[in-house]
Amino acid sequence: MTPGQTPSQTVGPFFAYGLTAEQYGYPFTSLFPPRVAEPRARGEHIRVTGRLFDGEGKTIPDAMVEIAHVDAEGRPVTSRDTAVASGFRGFGRCGTGTSADQSFEFHTIKPGVAAPGTAPHINVIVTMRGLLVHAFTRLYFEDEAAANAADPVLASVPAERRATLIAKRIALPEGVEYRFDIQMQGPNETVFFDL
Amino acid sequence: MDKPLPTSLPTPRDWTSHSPYIHPDYRSTVLRGPKRPLLPIKAHMADLAAPVYGHEDLGELDHDLTRNARRNGEPLGERIIVAGRVLDERGRPVPDTLVEIWQANAAGRYVHKVDQHDAPLDPNFLGAGRCMTDSEGRYRFMTIKPGAYPWGNHHNAWRPNHIHLSLFGSTFASRLVTQLYFPGDPLLALDPIFLGTPEKARERLISKFTLDVTEPGFALGYEFNIVLRGLAATPMEK
């Protein structure tokens, strides 16, 4: 037996030179850059962007967002060799401190369906100064209404809160972007899960 | 290296070992911690895949913060070794898992551009490192003991000496971001971040000085074992 789970502590405000060094211009390599899929990866290439808001509606400039999802065929990436071969890494990180409006921005592919009866989604971990335990949520896609309606996890969320998990699709000349803002608190507080 | 998907569910987060999201003594939590209860989720196996990486992703000196950012000499401060094991709750080692760390320098200054503390930067110290555990879950870092530094939480607030850590473990659910502290630090009793952790679990955040890790004539050694959520004994339903 062990003494029990090691307690979580906040990531603090100064994580960038360790965890997202290349994005912030520090001299250290990044193992998980915000580009999750290389241009050669199979699937529909998308951008996933958004901002985080605190309880007063202010944007949060020192958060780190991590995303994880299956490939375009719905398969998880289970080895580094697969990730290298396919150009799809399955996991990325982005801090909110390098863009003018405190957005995060990932380049990835739209995930496929991982299991019958579930909707395509992206797993999201949020961490920041002032968050003593990281928060876990999910991003679903606005243009997957039928699949979303059948998804058991979305169905478990009270109907009036489901919209906090749906990313808006924006078609831009340079490609499709999904916008996913995260509200830490307030009347539209994003649904966070106990994973 | 292939990382097979988990075949059983992760053990739940033990909320009696973790801080609440809102801990008003740590002021930043008041507007940033979620206020509504977390919702339960039945995750699919594909959602539990941990990120993939390998030993080949790491640089030769990534684990040695006294050498990985040298420009014209050695970093200043007290050399220390931080080593330990990454285990699951049943005491089984977590092999080949990534351990990332970042910290202030000996003067209590972070390289991060936002850190405005009036203490010197060290041109030979970045303060970031990483390594992977071996087949028995062991990890080891060489670094400089971080200094204490003031912060704006309340009047005359000082953070205890600490090193930040980030780990993934064997599933997506075992993710852990935490901080390691040092034994006997008088600032611990005054630090609202440390004190946010329930009392029974606080000691798990404090490393232990030990001669077993200390290298004679070279550096003091601190042991810090990390316990991540593991997998339940019951196999997952297909």
Side-chain angles (χ1 to χ4, degrees), chain A residues 3-5, chain B residues 11-18 89 200 204 229:
Chain A
Q5 293 174 13
Chain B
T11 52
R13 184 179 298 282
D14 169 18
W15 286 98
T16 69
S17 293
H18 296 282
E89 287 161 277
K200 70 156 192 178
R204 300 174 209 163
R229 290 164 59 190

Side-chain angles (χ1 to χ4, degrees), chain A residues 68-70 111-112 114 118-123 138-141 151, chain B residues 44 47:
Chain A
H69 64 87
V70 295
T118 67
H121 61 271
I122 292 178
N123 295 302
R138 267 192 181 181
L139 177 162
Y140 287 87
F141 298 89
D151 185 85
Chain B
H44 182 264
D47 290 311

Side-chain angles (χ1 to χ4, degrees), chain B residues 2 7 9 14 26 50 56-57 81 107 121 130 134 143 148 167 184 204 209 222 230:
Chain B
D2 208 52
T7 53
L9 284 169
D14 169 18
Y26 174 23
E56 55 270 60
D57 291 318
I81 297 159
L121 287 168
R130 59 199 166 204
D134 67 12
T143 187
L167 294 99
R204 300 174 209 163
F209 166 72
Y222 293 88

Side-chain angles (χ1 to χ4, degrees), chain B residues 152-164:
Chain B
N153 189 69
H154 56 274
H155 173 67
N156 212 4
W158 292 78
R159 291 296 332 275
N161 306 338
H162 64 277
I163 296 175
H164 294 268

Side-chain angles (χ1 to χ4, degrees), chain A residues 6-7 9 17 29 78 138, chain B residues 3 47 103 130 178 181 227:
Chain A
T6 301
Q9 294 272 271
Y17 65 90
T29 56
T78 54
R138 267 192 181 181
Chain B
K3 294 196 178 177
D47 290 311
Q103 60 166 90
R130 59 199 166 204
T178 190
Y181 300 96
V227 178

Side-chain angles (χ1 to χ4, degrees), chain A residues 29 31 80 84 89, chain B residues 52-59 62 130:
Chain A
T29 56
L31 297 184
R80 182 182 180 277
V84 170
R89 178 176 287 279
Chain B
V52 296
Y53 44 82
H55 291 273
E56 55 270 60
D57 291 318
L58 305 189
D62 280 6
R130 59 199 166 204

Side-chain angles (χ1 to χ4, degrees), chain A residues 131 135 184-185 189-190 192, chain B residues 21-22 32-36 38:
Chain A
L131 205 56
M184 298 309 297
Q185 297 181 355
E189 180 179 313
T190 296
F192 297 104
Chain B
Y21 277 117
I22 309 291
R32 291 182 165 197
K35 284 192 163 170
R36 303 215 195 183
L38 304 186

